[in-house]
Amino acid sequence: MSAKKTALTVLSAALLVPAVLVSPAHAAPTPPPAADGKGQPPKAPAAPAPPASMSTVGGASLGQPGTQVNLLPGAPALPANLTGRSWIVADAETGEVLASHNAHWRLPPASTMKMLFADTVLPSLPKDQVHRVSEQEMSDVGAGSSLVGVKEDMEYSVHDLWLGVFLRSGNDAVHVLSAMNGGIDKTVRDMQAHAEELQALDTHVISPDGYDAPEQVSSAYDLTLIARSGLQKQDFREYCGTAEAKFPGRQESGKPREYFEIQNTNRLMTGAGGLSPYKGIAGVKNGNTTMAGSTFTGAAQRGDKKLLVTVMNPDTGGVNSVYEETAELFDWGFAAAGKVKPVGELVPPKSADTTSLGSPAQSHENDASASGDDSGSSGVGTAVGIAGGALAVLAGGAFVVNRRWPRGRRGQRS
């Protein structure tokens, strides 16, 4: 698919705003609660508490449990009734963290893990490379996975497969791309190494697609850091900012190949599920599994301000709550810009940090207290872009972020 056609499908999706339903990548039906002796359902178990001590990468305040914000005179109050177990609002350009809540709580990431997969693997596979899918590549896709519709013994371009990853969160596409990258095990190792290079040290990778696994975790801080890295890559921006595309279907001998429409499961982009599209949204990735609940990392622009927001596992409100809370945090962040003192920063990759202060952040991969491109060569003042999503295209197209690596002391784990 050409870039022109992709842009047209983005614009078309913004105008039509069709509705789609988002299914969890791995979710079993929940049986009704058993009644107590008086015929009343039992009380819901209390929500788990965050660890008393978490990583301090990006600043000491980010390692503290609870909400962290420094309001200056005239600053708006944070939205009331936020239920996300962990969230963060950051300036995409400067890396300043405007506010956070349990930013380093290590939680299941669901399909937001696909951002790390893409940021790691995307540069190594030419987008026009064509691959015939084998039965073996499809054999270990997890039961109940979200799928785009990849079929064995059919050919797909890398470009097609990445659209399947970003728009439909297709675990089938992830497994094929992983096979092209040398296999699942190698891809997991590559992703873990890239997370450590980015200083996303809360992240432990078990599967490249975000499929539920007991030890697979990340954090709102890490997911935001990963999204910021991915958004420096032109292809990453294209895929996460595409609202609608055509995906290859059946291929019969002697006949033109069939195609079917796929739509982005990011409801802030498409307006699905009864939500209104968020003005200026530019991606990036949502997720929903049994263990993780709903997760989302988004990028948006209002005026000359560009923000990143991540929300993990809201406790109430169903599948739309993660989008509603993200939108509220975007609104707050745009209103609060210049009226808050940052509580931390998004640190640069290890290889890009040229400051003489501090020492590299330490991994806590085995910390018992934890609960359940272009990268590397960039320096201060590197210009990067974030492609506009459906509504951003209507508002004026793609936008550029001039990223400046923080010059402060690199945070260390306590």
Side-chain angles (χ1 to χ4, degrees):
M1 178 181 296
S2 67
K4 181 178 180 181
K5 289 184 178 179
T6 300
L8 288 175
T9 57
V10 174
L11 181 57
S12 174
L15 295 172
L16 295 177
V17 194
V20 295
L21 295 177
V22 181
S23 299
H26 175 47
T30 302
D36 62 15
K38 298 180 181 180
Q40 299 295 324
K43 295 181 179 180
S53 177
M54 293 174 279
S55 167
T56 58
V57 172
S61 293
L62 300 181
Q64 299 176 12
T67 300
Q68 310 300 318
V69 65
N70 293 321
L71 300 177
L72 300 177
L78 282 165
N81 302 319
L82 293 173
T83 66
R85 294 183 182 180
S86 176
W87 54 259
I88 192 169
V89 182
D91 188 306
E93 198 165 36
T94 67
E96 294 176 340
V97 177
L98 306 185
S100 70
H101 181 76
N102 302 324
H104 280 291
W105 191 357
R106 303 178 82 194
L107 296 166
S111 286
T112 49
M113 182 65 81
K114 291 181 172 75
M115 294 189 298
L116 177 60
F117 170 68
D119 194 37
T120 304
V121 175
L122 199 157
S124 66
L125 299 176
K127 65 192 305 182
D128 58 354
Q129 180 178 343
V130 176
H131 177 77
R132 181 174 291 275
V133 176
S134 70
E135 180 179 357
Q136 181 180 2
E137 293 165 357
M138 302 292 290
S139 62
D140 57 353
V141 176
S145 288
S146 53
L147 306 172
V148 66
V150 174
K151 303 298 182 185
E152 61 189 58
D153 296 325
M154 290 191 180
E155 293 184 341
Y156 299 88
S157 70
V158 168
H159 180 265
D160 293 330
L161 293 169
W162 282 120
L163 287 172
V165 170
F166 277 94
L167 272 67
R168 297 306 301 168
S169 204
N171 289 6
D172 46 358
V174 170
H175 280 248
V176 174
L177 288 164
S178 296
M180 296 175 69
N181 185 58
I184 295 292
D185 291 343
K186 176 182 180 297
T187 299
V188 167
R189 292 194 300 271
D190 290 347
M191 290 170 65
Q192 192 65 59
H194 187 53
E196 292 172 5
E197 158 63 16
L198 294 179
Q199 302 202 71
L201 304 180
D202 299 322
T203 299
H204 183 194
V205 185
I206 299 295
S207 63
D209 51 21
Y211 192 84
D212 279 342
E215 297 180 359
Q216 181 148 271
V217 291
S218 190
S219 66
Y221 181 88
D222 280 14
L223 293 174
T224 308
L225 204 65
I226 292 163
R228 193 177 185 218
S229 176
L231 288 164
Q232 296 167 57
K233 298 175 174 62
Q234 181 178 351
D235 289 347
F236 187 106
R237 299 193 300 269
E238 175 195 342
Y239 298 132
C240 79
T242 298
E244 187 180 76
K246 291 185 181 296
F247 193 80
R250 291 186 299 178
Q251 189 173 21
E252 298 182 12
S253 179
K255 296 182 179 180
R257 186 157 192 182
E258 296 180 3
Y259 287 81
F260 57 92
E261 295 287 338
I262 59 174
Q263 190 177 61
N264 204 312
T265 54
N266 174 356
R267 294 187 175 191
L268 287 188
M269 180 174 291
T270 65
L275 294 175
S276 297
Y278 192 85
K279 185 177 180 180
I281 190 71
V284 241
K285 191 70 189 76
N286 57 311
N288 186 10
T289 68
T290 301
M291 293 176 62
S294 295
T295 60
F296 182 63
T297 298
Q301 178 179 5
R302 184 171 297 174
D304 61 355
K305 183 60 63 176
K306 301 93 178 177
L307 297 180
L308 288 164
V309 171
T310 296
V311 176
M312 301 186 76
N313 200 351
D315 290 329
T316 61
V319 71
N320 277 348
S321 61
V322 74
Y323 301 107
E324 292 166 346
E325 295 192 15
T326 297
E328 290 178 355
L329 287 169
F330 270 134
D331 287 345
W332 175 84
F334 288 125
K339 301 175 183 177
V340 296
K341 181 180 179 181
V343 296
E345 63 189 11
L346 300 177
V347 296
K350 290 181 179 180
S351 61
D353 188 352
T354 58
T355 66
S356 59
L357 298 176
S359 57
Q362 302 298 310
S363 172
H364 63 160
E365 182 69 21
N366 299 314
D367 187 350
S369 68
S371 65
D373 158 5
D374 312 327
S375 65
S377 63
S378 302
V380 176
T382 299
V384 302
I386 298 178
L391 271 294
V393 168
L394 293 178
F399 56 95
V400 175
V401 172
N402 294 309
R403 187 184 61 185
R404 300 169 181 84
W405 292 126
R407 293 181 177 273
R409 186 182 182 90
R410 282 201 274 188
Q412 291 179 280
R413 181 179 65 84
S414 59

